Amino acid sequence: MPQIEVFAPAKVNLTLHVTGQRPDGYHLLDSLVAFADFGDHLSVETANALSLKVIGPFAKGVPEDNSNLCWRAAELFGEPVAITLDKRLPHPAGIGGGSSDAAAVLRAMETLFQRPYEGDALALGADTPVCRIATAARMQGIGDVVNKVNLIPMAAVLVNPGVDVPTPSVFKALESKSNAPMTEMPAPEFPAQLWSWLENQRNDLEEPARKVAPVISDVLHALSGRGARVVRMSGSGATCFALFENDGLADLVARDVARDHPDWWVQAVRLA
Ligand code: C5P
């Protein structure tokens, strides 16, 4: 049976501004999203019936039925496939695991069945449209408006302290739902301006997430004062990241944080 291997990179919200709320409760976002060279790995094979098997270091607790976004992606595409998901990303963690997996299943099925998926990607989670692009993009609307951007290569350290932070509870704890959007992003030809611009943006969900899960403050503290240009939380948490201009420094910081916090998930990555 034809089989395809696909990569589902971790998604990192370098900025995440909450600019409003719709009458149906969904929030309007303005977010610069980048993707890591680390993520989940999937294999998708044509089959007589839809199936899903989850393996890997973070397989525990991942459903193997239609409550998994991978399964729902295959159902929406409308062909039976056997999916193996090698779960290497912690979850739920604010780095898009489920959405990135669903987007990867759609990519694999588009190749296997030689036709584009023209259905609603947003139905597979707010991050699935941007995860289908899987390269740096500005995400707006409720996640449905996605435009590619050019970014300079960046080294990052991702840290997750192993707590589940439910996204709806973080949005609920957000006090101001109507914040300023991102200011205009400098072009990548001006890296110095881009770095200082990045420093001046925010993740509006960071403060409410720290109230819901105080350990997030410990993670941000552990990443601070180590030479990073930006230390921030991704998505609705609990994963935080530090951005470095220097790849070697990122690797050293990852080593030190992992040594000091053996219970945390720590990963040095390159973003694009
Ligand atoms: O689509 P996803 O599963 O990522 O969203 C999880 C929850 O986050 C939603 O049920 C909603 O409560 C909240 N959300 C929101 N506004 C968005 C995206 C998500 O309020 N734009």
Side-chain angles (χ1 to χ4, degrees):
M1 293 278 197
Q3 182 181 337
I4 301 245
E5 311 284 328
V6 268
F7 177 55
K11 162 224 76 162
V12 180
N13 299 90
L14 299 181
T15 73
L16 202 172
H17 297 205
V18 180
T19 58
Q21 189 173 25
R22 300 196 320 192
D24 64 2
Y26 268 80
H27 294 80
L28 297 171
L29 311 172
D30 192 8
S31 178
L32 175 62
V33 181
F35 287 86
D37 59 356
F38 187 89
D40 296 336
H41 291 251
L42 296 95
S43 135
V44 181
E45 191 178 357
T46 55
N48 295 324
L50 182 51
S51 68
L52 171 62
K53 185 175 156 56
V54 185
I55 59 171
F58 286 101
K60 194 165 168 246
V62 180
E64 292 183 322
D65 58 20
N66 65 359
S67 64
N68 189 308
L69 287 177
C70 288
W71 185 294
R72 297 227 295 271
E75 255 176 0
L76 283 180
F77 194 95
E79 305 281 355
V81 282
I83 304 168
T84 304
L85 166 59
D86 179 1
K87 194 79 200 153
R88 301 189 191 181
L89 294 173
H91 54 84
I95 46 175
S99 298
S100 196
D101 295 342
V105 167
L106 293 178
R107 269 200 299 282
M109 293 184 75
E110 287 178 326
T111 307
L112 272 178
F113 297 99
Q114 295 286 296
R115 65 174 166 91
Y117 172 71
E118 279 159 350
D120 179 15
L122 201 63
L124 295 165
D127 285 328
T128 303
V130 77
C131 287
R132 289 191 77 195
I133 291 187
T135 183
R138 182 177 184 176
M139 180 176 96
Q140 291 168 287
I142 60 166
D144 53 326
V145 181
V146 173
N147 287 292
K148 269 190 196 183
V149 297
N150 291 318
L151 210 60
I152 49 172
M154 283 185 264
V157 177
L158 308 180
V159 179
N160 183 279
V163 293
D164 288 1
V165 190
T167 304
S169 66
V170 175
F171 275 110
K172 220 171 176 180
L174 175 69
E175 278 173 22
S176 168
K177 315 258 178 183
S178 187
N179 305 296
M182 297 195 303
T183 55
E184 199 183 330
M185 184 183 149
E189 292 77 32
F190 304 100
Q193 282 95 322
L194 188 59
W195 278 111
S196 58
W197 176 84
L198 265 175
E199 284 170 347
N200 288 315
Q201 309 303 306
R202 331 172 292 275
N203 180 348
D204 287 325
L205 297 181
E206 196 173 291
E207 194 185 306
R210 286 166 60 176
K211 286 187 192 141
V212 173
V215 69
I216 290 170
S217 300
D218 300 338
V219 175
L220 292 166
H221 182 72
L223 285 170
S224 299
R226 297 182 187 265
R229 291 296 303 262
V230 176
V231 174
R232 195 166 283 154
M233 189 184 82
S234 178
S236 59
T239 305
C240 299
F241 61 89
L243 295 181
F244 297 87
E245 287 178 271
N246 176 312
D247 289 14
L249 185 56
D251 294 339
L252 285 176
V253 169
R255 192 197 61 192
D256 290 352
V257 174
R259 183 198 57 214
D260 295 347
H261 300 275
D263 297 343
W264 294 355
W265 175 79
V266 180
Q267 184 67 49
V269 298
R270 306 291 175 262
L271 296 176

